[in-house]
Amino acid sequence: GRNEQGVEISVSSKDAKCILVIEKEGVFNRLSEERLYDRFPCIMVTGKGFPDLCTRALVKTLHEELDLPVLGLCDMNPYGISVLSVYFCAGDRMGVDGNYRYSVPIEWMGLRPTDFAALHEKHRLPNTVFQALTDLDRKRMDSLTDEMSPYLDEDEKDEVSEEMKYKVELEALYWLGADFLGDWVFNKLQARFE
């Protein structure tokens, strides 16, 4: 297809099932080393935290040209969810190229409070993986769960406001073994596409 400036763009993928947007570069690198994309055909992208314009444009182009769903993997904290929400709607403060120009429908795959509760119940993670929510975190949670916030649906807003009592980073899953995070992501992707 052609982009907004009339430039011809050709993107192809043999068998990818989704675009997996990963909040953190370290997690992205680890999943790349484990070759997650060979185990589950996906296109992995990271914005190394809050994405720049080029990363958002890339994800939008891949989404539109390949007609693939976009899934987001982030820390279980308000800022992780905020990173994913920027792909959905960057906001007016992003200037001319912000807001909806490079928006994509992105599903919050995890790490979700319900995921972590199940993992903790089964594996009993050490207390060191739990981080207290700060006042700034609570303000961010309030803005994410506000009725005017466009990213999360009502069930997700309830999950954040009722079940996110602390913060947990994706790297906490390494406590369960070096390959646990990759296996967990693989299983989440498989369950999503059954």
Side-chain angles (χ1 to χ4, degrees):
R2 293 194 179 277
N3 71 5
E4 294 170 5
Q5 290 76 31
V7 176
E8 183 71 27
I9 296 175
S10 177
V11 179
S12 64
S13 173
K14 188 174 174 182
D15 54 6
K17 294 183 179 181
C18 70
I19 301 159
L20 180 61
V21 172
I22 302 165
E23 173 193 6
K24 298 169 103 173
E25 183 180 19
V27 173
F28 173 88
N29 291 339
R30 179 63 188 212
L31 294 176
S32 294
E33 289 168 5
E34 292 183 24
R35 301 180 66 87
L36 174 68
Y37 46 81
D38 284 340
R39 294 173 63 196
F40 187 90
C42 63
I43 299 169
M44 294 175 19
V45 177
T46 184
K48 301 177 184 179
F50 283 96
D52 59 17
L53 187 64
C54 294
T55 305
R56 290 176 32 236
L58 171 67
V59 171
K60 182 172 178 90
T61 300
L62 291 171
H63 169 68
E64 289 181 346
E65 293 296 315
L66 300 175
D67 194 31
L68 294 174
V70 181
L71 285 76
L73 182 65
C74 66
D75 288 339
M76 191 187 86
N77 64 38
Y79 283 88
I81 300 166
S82 293
V83 166
L84 300 184
S85 74
V86 169
Y87 289 93
F88 181 77
C89 173
D92 296 329
R93 291 184 291 166
M94 297 296 274
V96 174
D97 292 320
N99 218 357
Y100 289 101
R101 181 171 181 185
Y102 296 114
S103 296
V104 293
I106 182 169
E107 298 175 35
W108 177 28
M109 186 177 87
L111 183 64
R112 299 172 70 122
T114 50
D115 295 330
F116 190 76
L119 287 170
H120 183 57
E121 184 174 313
K122 183 176 181 180
H123 299 285
R124 285 293 163 216
L125 288 153
N127 289 337
T128 55
V129 304
F130 300 92
Q131 301 170 23
L133 291 168
T134 65
D135 290 340
L136 215 50
D137 291 326
R138 286 186 180 78
K139 285 180 185 175
R140 180 63 58 121
M141 279 175 58
D142 290 344
S143 71
L144 286 167
T145 57
D146 180 82
E147 64 186 41
M148 298 303 288
S149 178
Y151 177 56
L152 300 175
D153 66 28
E154 290 307 312
D155 289 339
E156 291 170 329
K157 287 178 183 180
D158 289 344
E159 183 176 353
V160 169
S161 61
E162 294 171 15
E163 298 185 37
M164 192 178 290
K165 306 295 183 208
Y166 41 80
K167 302 183 288 189
V168 178
E169 295 187 356
L170 285 163
E171 293 88 345
L173 300 185
Y174 295 142
W175 276 97
L176 302 174
D179 297 332
F180 188 88
L181 177 63
D183 292 342
W184 179 79
V185 172
F186 171 76
N187 291 330
K188 290 280 289 184
L189 288 167
Q190 271 202 316
R192 163 62 175 77
F193 289 94
E194 283 182 341

